[in-house]
Amino acid sequence: SNYCHKQISENFHYKTNMATTSGPNTSLANAAITLTLFILPIIYLSRKQRRIARERQEERSFLLSLSNPSSPPLRPPLPSIVRRVLSRCRFAYLSTVDVDANSSHLSLMRFTYLPDEEIIVMSTNRKTKKYDILEKQSGVSLLVHDFSEGDSRELTGEYSITLNGNCSLIHDVELAERYRAAHLRNNPDYPQFIVGDDIAILRVDVHSARICNINDQVIRWNVNNISKS
């Protein structure tokens, strides 16, 4: 009992001394730090929301401008809408053609868009049907959409984009590892589909795109022969 009373008394005097020696300046500093830690996330979220809203408005204005027959045609590089959707999405549906079976083959893929090179990187196990198909022919289609993939707030559910291009199996070891590292950084939770001796790296060079928004407005883009609809 006496020991507990002594400990309580010592703790009380310790806290009193700390409060006395800390002084008003320290209290103000602590309050300033607390206020800063509270305000900074709010400022960050506010700026992020304004940036996203600005991008959405630019995309809508872009689509609206294309409804004018006198507007200029889309020209390379990829339209900003395509670049933004590819940058904020991770899933795509890869369509290949099985010539032997005279049918198409569809695969759900994780991808990484490299804007500086304007290419799409994917990976696949070498012991798969799509790998066998890609060894025989390189023409592919990719369907990408920005519908919700969990809790991502940057996906708007406004666009679906069909991309056509040539898919290459990357055999150059140094280049493959560079693409693999970038793909893994973009999809850190899925190394089982990216890293391994049996995992091949794929590169898609896009040559045309069909962009459709939620109002069924369609734009066609082609690296060589641009048109609109």
PDB file of all heavy atoms in Angstrom, residues 59-73:
ATOM      1  N   GLU A  59     -11.257  15.265 -70.104  1.00  0.00           N
ATOM      2  CA  GLU A  59     -11.635  14.118 -70.926  1.00  0.00           C
ATOM      3  C   GLU A  59     -13.019  14.316 -71.536  1.00  0.00           C
ATOM      4  O   GLU A  59     -13.228  14.043 -72.725  1.00  0.00           O
ATOM      5  CB  GLU A  59     -11.600  12.843 -70.074  1.00  0.00           C
ATOM      6  CG  GLU A  59     -10.193  12.444 -69.648  1.00  0.00           C
ATOM      7  CD  GLU A  59     -10.194  11.339 -68.617  1.00  0.00           C
ATOM      8  OE1 GLU A  59     -11.296  10.897 -68.227  1.00  0.00           O
ATOM      9  OE2 GLU A  59      -9.105  10.915 -68.200  1.00  0.00           O
ATOM     10  N   ARG A  60     -13.967  14.810 -70.730  1.00  0.00           N
ATOM     11  CA  ARG A  60     -15.316  15.026 -71.251  1.00  0.00           C
ATOM     12  C   ARG A  60     -15.324  16.117 -72.321  1.00  0.00           C
ATOM     13  O   ARG A  60     -16.011  16.003 -73.345  1.00  0.00           O
ATOM     14  CB  ARG A  60     -16.259  15.393 -70.100  1.00  0.00           C
ATOM     15  CG  ARG A  60     -16.458  14.263 -69.093  1.00  0.00           C
ATOM     16  CD  ARG A  60     -17.525  14.616 -68.061  1.00  0.00           C
ATOM     17  NE  ARG A  60     -17.623  13.593 -67.035  1.00  0.00           N
ATOM     18  CZ  ARG A  60     -17.072  13.687 -65.823  1.00  0.00           C
ATOM     19  NH1 ARG A  60     -16.374  14.761 -65.510  1.00  0.00           N
ATOM     20  NH2 ARG A  60     -17.200  12.715 -64.939  1.00  0.00           N
ATOM     21  N   SER A  61     -14.547  17.177 -72.087  1.00  0.00           N
ATOM     22  CA  SER A  61     -14.471  18.252 -73.076  1.00  0.00           C
ATOM     23  C   SER A  61     -13.838  17.750 -74.365  1.00  0.00           C
ATOM     24  O   SER A  61     -14.246  18.141 -75.462  1.00  0.00           O
ATOM     25  CB  SER A  61     -13.653  19.426 -72.512  1.00  0.00           C
ATOM     26  OG  SER A  61     -14.271  19.963 -71.367  1.00  0.00           O
ATOM     27  N   PHE A  62     -12.857  16.882 -74.213  1.00  0.00           N
ATOM     28  CA  PHE A  62     -12.190  16.315 -75.382  1.00  0.00           C
ATOM     29  C   PHE A  62     -13.177  15.509 -76.227  1.00  0.00           C
ATOM     30  O   PHE A  62     -13.259  15.667 -77.442  1.00  0.00           O
ATOM     31  CB  PHE A  62     -11.039  15.428 -74.912  1.00  0.00           C
ATOM     32  CG  PHE A  62     -10.322  14.697 -76.010  1.00  0.00           C
ATOM     33  CD1 PHE A  62      -9.454  15.349 -76.849  1.00  0.00           C
ATOM     34  CD2 PHE A  62     -10.537  13.342 -76.197  1.00  0.00           C
ATOM     35  CE1 PHE A  62      -8.792  14.671 -77.864  1.00  0.00           C
ATOM     36  CE2 PHE A  62      -9.891  12.656 -77.206  1.00  0.00           C
ATOM     37  CZ  PHE A  62      -9.008  13.330 -78.036  1.00  0.00           C
ATOM     38  N   LEU A  63     -13.966  14.655 -75.568  1.00  0.00           N
ATOM     39  CA  LEU A  63     -14.954  13.860 -76.298  1.00  0.00           C
ATOM     40  C   LEU A  63     -16.026  14.743 -76.929  1.00  0.00           C
ATOM     41  O   LEU A  63     -16.464  14.501 -78.051  1.00  0.00           O
ATOM     42  CB  LEU A  63     -15.609  12.844 -75.361  1.00  0.00           C
ATOM     43  CG  LEU A  63     -14.760  11.641 -74.967  1.00  0.00           C
ATOM     44  CD1 LEU A  63     -15.465  10.826 -73.896  1.00  0.00           C
ATOM     45  CD2 LEU A  63     -14.472  10.768 -76.168  1.00  0.00           C
ATOM     46  N   LEU A  64     -16.430  15.790 -76.207  1.00  0.00           N
ATOM     47  CA  LEU A  64     -17.447  16.683 -76.739  1.00  0.00           C
ATOM     48  C   LEU A  64     -16.933  17.424 -77.971  1.00  0.00           C
ATOM     49  O   LEU A  64     -17.672  17.608 -78.947  1.00  0.00           O
ATOM     50  CB  LEU A  64     -17.871  17.681 -75.662  1.00  0.00           C
ATOM     51  CG  LEU A  64     -19.011  18.639 -76.029  1.00  0.00           C
ATOM     52  CD1 LEU A  64     -20.286  17.848 -76.324  1.00  0.00           C
ATOM     53  CD2 LEU A  64     -19.247  19.633 -74.888  1.00  0.00           C
ATOM     54  N   SER A  65     -15.665  17.807 -77.931  1.00  0.00           N
ATOM     55  CA  SER A  65     -15.104  18.535 -79.071  1.00  0.00           C
ATOM     56  C   SER A  65     -15.056  17.671 -80.321  1.00  0.00           C
ATOM     57  O   SER A  65     -15.156  18.171 -81.440  1.00  0.00           O
ATOM     58  CB  SER A  65     -13.694  19.034 -78.729  1.00  0.00           C
ATOM     59  OG  SER A  65     -12.782  17.942 -78.639  1.00  0.00           O
ATOM     60  N   LEU A  66     -14.918  16.369 -80.150  1.00  0.00           N
ATOM     61  CA  LEU A  66     -14.827  15.474 -81.296  1.00  0.00           C
ATOM     62  C   LEU A  66     -16.171  15.268 -81.983  1.00  0.00           C
ATOM     63  O   LEU A  66     -16.229  14.742 -83.098  1.00  0.00           O
ATOM     64  CB  LEU A  66     -14.254  14.121 -80.862  1.00  0.00           C
ATOM     65  CG  LEU A  66     -12.782  14.153 -80.464  1.00  0.00           C
ATOM     66  CD1 LEU A  66     -12.377  12.806 -79.891  1.00  0.00           C
ATOM     67  CD2 LEU A  66     -11.900  14.521 -81.624  1.00  0.00           C
ATOM     68  N   SER A  67     -17.249  15.673 -81.328  1.00  0.00           N
ATOM     69  CA  SER A  67     -18.552  15.563 -81.976  1.00  0.00           C
ATOM     70  C   SER A  67     -18.746  16.657 -83.029  1.00  0.00           C
ATOM     71  O   SER A  67     -19.670  16.600 -83.829  1.00  0.00           O
ATOM     72  CB  SER A  67     -19.671  15.658 -80.931  1.00  0.00           C
ATOM     73  OG  SER A  67     -19.642  16.925 -80.280  1.00  0.00           O
ATOM     74  N   ASN A  68     -17.826  17.622 -83.023  1.00  0.00           N
ATOM     75  CA  ASN A  68     -17.873  18.687 -84.024  1.00  0.00           C
ATOM     76  C   ASN A  68     -17.184  18.212 -85.297  1.00  0.00           C
ATOM     77  O   ASN A  68     -16.002  17.871 -85.270  1.00  0.00           O
ATOM     78  CB  ASN A  68     -17.177  19.935 -83.461  1.00  0.00           C
ATOM     79  CG  ASN A  68     -17.243  21.115 -84.405  1.00  0.00           C
ATOM     80  OD1 ASN A  68     -17.691  20.991 -85.554  1.00  0.00           O
ATOM     81  ND2 ASN A  68     -16.798  22.263 -83.924  1.00  0.00           N
ATOM     82  N   PRO A  69     -17.867  18.182 -86.434  1.00  0.00           N
ATOM     83  CA  PRO A  69     -17.260  17.674 -87.671  1.00  0.00           C
ATOM     84  C   PRO A  69     -16.009  18.437 -88.093  1.00  0.00           C
ATOM     85  O   PRO A  69     -15.164  17.895 -88.800  1.00  0.00           O
ATOM     86  CB  PRO A  69     -18.383  17.848 -88.712  1.00  0.00           C
ATOM     87  CG  PRO A  69     -19.637  17.902 -87.909  1.00  0.00           C
ATOM     88  CD  PRO A  69     -19.269  18.572 -86.623  1.00  0.00           C
ATOM     89  N   SER A  70     -15.874  19.685 -87.649  1.00  0.00           N
ATOM     90  CA  SER A  70     -14.716  20.484 -88.070  1.00  0.00           C
ATOM     91  C   SER A  70     -13.509  20.296 -87.165  1.00  0.00           C
ATOM     92  O   SER A  70     -12.455  20.882 -87.406  1.00  0.00           O
ATOM     93  CB  SER A  70     -15.096  21.966 -88.083  1.00  0.00           C
ATOM     94  OG  SER A  70     -15.448  22.409 -86.780  1.00  0.00           O
ATOM     95  N   SER A  71     -13.638  19.486 -86.104  1.00  0.00           N
ATOM     96  CA  SER A  71     -12.522  19.291 -85.188  1.00  0.00           C
ATOM     97  C   SER A  71     -11.416  18.491 -85.862  1.00  0.00           C
ATOM     98  O   SER A  71     -11.681  17.633 -86.707  1.00  0.00           O
ATOM     99  CB  SER A  71     -12.993  18.563 -83.917  1.00  0.00           C
ATOM    100  OG  SER A  71     -13.514  17.302 -84.244  1.00  0.00           O
ATOM    101  N   PRO A  72     -10.146  18.738 -85.498  1.00  0.00           N
ATOM    102  CA  PRO A  72      -9.029  18.033 -86.137  1.00  0.00           C
ATOM    103  C   PRO A  72      -9.010  16.562 -85.754  1.00  0.00           C
ATOM    104  O   PRO A  72      -9.490  16.182 -84.687  1.00  0.00           O
ATOM    105  CB  PRO A  72      -7.796  18.754 -85.574  1.00  0.00           C
ATOM    106  CG  PRO A  72      -8.245  19.329 -84.280  1.00  0.00           C
ATOM    107  CD  PRO A  72      -9.694  19.699 -84.482  1.00  0.00           C
ATOM    108  N   PRO A  73      -8.472  15.703 -86.608  1.00  0.00           N
ATOM    109  CA  PRO A  73      -8.428  14.268 -86.305  1.00  0.00           C
ATOM    110  C   PRO A  73      -7.431  13.945 -85.206  1.00  0.00           C
ATOM    111  O   PRO A  73      -6.513  14.710 -84.925  1.00  0.00           O
ATOM    112  CB  PRO A  73      -7.980  13.654 -87.643  1.00  0.00           C
ATOM    113  CG  PRO A  73      -7.197  14.740 -88.298  1.00  0.00           C
ATOM    114  CD  PRO A  73      -7.873  16.026 -87.909  1.00  0.00           C
TER     115      PRO A  73
END
